[in-house]
């Protein structure tokens, strides 16, 4: 019995390594292709966005979560369901703005950065910026325009990793042209 | 622990990105451009394969011989990376091996059958690199290519380079 579970955990861990190693290879390649960190950050965000707009369907299909009533519910779903499902971690939701349109996700540990160190000449690289794009793309598909950015990053010396999410506006669904 | 689907999503986006970038700088793609894309993807896979095999074989004893290594790749390594074992391993006992996976995990989402057959090589380059990287860290230099005739079945050909 225990042998069986060991294999499953190992298999999940190995897949985790496949993902984190692939992500590392991607960032390395982008650093080679683009002159500066700013451009790499932009590419990671763009690629994250492309992933996010497809990931949301996978998420909705597997989680059977209904429509969120407000931004607070959205925050909880992101932290407790989505992050748990895809990255196996549950960030805490904190630092709500008084208007309730901005909050932080605090990640104690970030699976993307296992075994990663930023070299000195890449101090402005936002290594995990793909995540910002993913969140932005996924939420856009459920009619929410948001701004997502890293406020703190353990790779750059901070104690925790903090992702700041701000609600911009509701995106009106584009209805097809009617008969009028 | 990262979910399996994350790798699938990331891999597809990486392939898309590499081809888009190559296209943008040229306007249209010729065979040379396609070769560049395949090469970029393959070398990314190579680094990943090296890393993966290192962690997988950290505590294992060394292998008896070349065939032993290939069997390990077909069973343990393939299971960990591609979520199943290789279905068929053939060799001419002279350094060439053919690994057949009838339901290759990176192809199952594309289609089954003949549709998109010409797109398949794009999605195999990275995996070829993974295999080559793994073998490299096990002390075997190789050339790895992949061939698809009916998706999602795939044959990887490994030719060990003798020094």
């Amino acid at each position: 019995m225990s042998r069986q579970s060991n294999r499953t955990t190992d298999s999940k861990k190995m897949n985790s390594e496949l993902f984190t190693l692939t992500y590392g290879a991607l960032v390395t390649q982008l650093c080679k292709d683009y002159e500066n960190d700013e451009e790499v950050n932009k590419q990671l965000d763009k690629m994250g966005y492309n992933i996010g707009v497809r990931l949301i369907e996978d998420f909705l299909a597997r989680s059977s979560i209904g429509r969120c009533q407000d931004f607070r519910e959205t925050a909880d779903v992101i932290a407790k369901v989505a992050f748990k499902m895809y990255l196996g971690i549950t960030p805490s939701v904190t630092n709500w703005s008084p208007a309730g349109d901005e909050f932080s996700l605090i990640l104690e540990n970030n699976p993307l950065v296992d075994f990663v160190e930023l070299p000195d000449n890449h101090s402005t690289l936002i290594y995990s910026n793909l995540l910002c794009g993913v969140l932005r793309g996924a939420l856009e598909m459920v009619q929410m325009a948001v701004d997502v950015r890293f406020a703190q990053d353990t790779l750059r010396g901070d104690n925790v990793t903090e992702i700041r999410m701000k609600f911009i506006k509701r995106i009106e669904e584009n209805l097809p042209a009617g008969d009028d | 622990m990262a979910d399996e689907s994350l790798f699938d999503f990331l891999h597809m986006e990486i392939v898309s990105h590499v081809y888009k970038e190559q296209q943008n700088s040229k306007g249209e793609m010729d065979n040379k451009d396609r070769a560049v894309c395949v090469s970029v993807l393959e070398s990314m896979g190579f680094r990943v394969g090296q890393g993966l095999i290192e962690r997988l074989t950290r505590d294992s004893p060394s292998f008896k011989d070349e065939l032993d290594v290939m069997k390990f790749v077909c069973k343990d390594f393939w299971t960990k990376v591609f979520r199943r074992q290789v279905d068929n391993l053939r060799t001419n006992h002279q350094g060439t091996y053919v690994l057949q996976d009838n339901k290759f995990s990176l192809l199952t989402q594309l289609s089954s059958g003949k549709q998109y057959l010409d797109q398949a090589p794009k999605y195999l380059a990275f995996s070829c690199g993974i295999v080559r990287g793994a073998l490299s860290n096990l002390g075997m230099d190789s050339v790895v290519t992949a061939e698809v005739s009916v998706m999602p079945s795939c044959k990887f050909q490994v030719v060990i380079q003798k020094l």
Side-chain angles (χ1 to χ4, degrees):
Chain A
M1 249 325 168
S2 61
R3 197 144 183 262
Q4 189 68 27
S5 61
N6 272 346
R7 204 160 292 161
T8 342
T9 349
D10 278 346
S11 153
K12 281 213 123 190
K13 250 209 300 202
M14 179 54 100
N15 286 319
S16 200
E17 289 172 356
L18 174 60
F19 174 70
T20 54
L21 284 174
T22 301
Y23 188 72
L26 169 65
V27 179
T28 306
Q29 185 65 39
L30 291 177
C31 288
K32 255 192 272 185
D33 292 340
Y34 298 101
E35 305 254 309
N36 56 68
D37 290 348
E38 204 38 60
E39 194 52 48
V40 176
N41 293 340
K42 255 203 322 209
Q43 287 299 321
L44 284 172
D45 182 78
K46 204 155 57 136
M47 291 179 74
Y49 176 87
N50 291 340
I51 291 175
V53 302
R54 296 196 321 267
L55 191 88
I56 185 72
E57 280 179 38
D58 183 77
F59 174 70
L60 292 174
R62 286 163 61 183
S63 67
S64 46
I65 294 271
R67 196 172 268 287
C68 290
Q69 295 303 316
D70 56 30
F71 203 46
R72 275 184 187 266
E73 212 184 314
T74 306
D76 278 342
V77 168
I78 291 173
K80 299 189 181 124
V81 189
F83 265 85
K84 185 97 199 340
M85 181 185 292
Y86 289 108
L87 289 171
I89 56 171
T90 310
S92 43
V93 178
T94 60
N95 288 356
W96 278 98
S97 63
D101 63 347
E102 204 172 340
F103 67 91
S104 291
L105 288 166
I106 308 283
L107 284 71
E108 300 276 312
N109 70 311
N110 177 0
L112 288 178
V113 309
D114 284 343
F115 319 119
V116 174
E117 251 177 48
L118 283 188
D120 291 328
N121 59 330
H122 286 290
S123 52
T124 51
L125 179 67
I126 309 171
Y127 184 85
S128 310
N129 212 31
L130 193 99
L131 283 182
C132 295
V134 172
L135 288 164
R136 192 167 58 84
L139 287 174
E140 191 174 299
M141 292 297 107
V142 288
Q143 273 66 56
M144 271 183 266
V146 293
D147 180 70
V148 190
R149 59 180 183 88
F150 275 89
Q152 292 190 74
D153 191 351
T154 50
L155 277 189
R156 297 203 279 171
D158 299 308
N159 285 338
V160 291
T161 298
E162 180 184 351
I163 298 176
R164 194 97 185 119
M165 293 190 65
K166 184 178 167 77
F167 179 82
I168 309 285
K169 64 173 181 175
R170 187 140 223 106
I171 303 172
E172 290 312 315
E173 286 202 49
N174 285 327
L175 298 169
D179 290 307
D180 45 332
Chain B
M1 305 288 103
D3 189 83
E4 291 174 351
S5 62
L6 279 190
F7 170 73
D8 294 334
F9 280 110
L10 182 62
H11 175 254
M12 291 214 132
E13 182 53 31
I14 290 175
V15 173
S16 174
H17 170 87
V18 168
Y19 276 78
K20 244 188 292 196
E21 287 300 296
Q22 192 67 16
Q23 185 145 28
N24 282 342
S25 55
K26 300 294 192 77
E28 38 168 65
M29 286 200 108
D30 57 22
N31 280 335
K32 197 150 151 252
D33 294 321
R34 279 185 210 104
V36 168
C37 292
V38 165
S39 173
V40 167
L41 290 166
E42 208 271 354
S43 50
M44 285 177 69
F46 183 81
R47 297 174 56 105
V48 172
Q50 285 183 308
L52 283 172
I53 199 79
E54 204 177 287
R55 302 189 56 70
L56 184 57
T57 55
R58 229 178 352 187
D59 303 316
S60 351
S62 48
F63 296 99
K64 274 191 305 172
D65 55 24
E66 204 175 85
L67 186 57
D68 216 29
V69 171
M70 292 311 295
K71 284 193 195 158
F72 178 81
V73 167
C74 291
K75 293 220 256 272
D76 295 53
F77 186 72
W78 218 260
T79 305
K80 303 296 189 177
V81 185
F82 302 119
R83 304 168 223 160
R84 55 186 277 115
Q85 291 191 12
V86 161
D87 291 295
N88 192 303
L89 170 68
R90 293 203 318 268
T91 178
N92 62 359
H93 294 288
Q94 280 168 30
T96 298
Y97 298 84
V98 177
L99 289 68
Q100 182 162 340
D101 184 328
N102 291 328
K103 238 177 110 178
F104 191 58
S105 66
L106 273 70
L107 291 179
T108 48
Q109 288 172 41
L110 283 186
S111 81
S112 13
K114 301 266 177 180
Q115 201 186 19
Y116 302 124
L117 201 55
D118 57 337
Q119 303 286 310
K122 286 180 174 178
Y123 296 96
L124 296 172
F126 190 82
S127 302
C128 287
I130 289 182
V131 176
R132 191 171 66 90
L135 290 172
S136 166
N137 260 27
L138 293 174
M140 283 158 60
D141 268 339
S142 61
V143 174
V144 181
T145 50
E147 182 191 297
V148 182
S149 50
V150 179
M151 305 232 257
S153 173
C154 179
K155 283 197 194 132
F156 287 84
Q157 180 170 272
V158 177
V159 180
I160 307 299
Q161 310 294 294
K162 302 288 188 218
L163 292 160

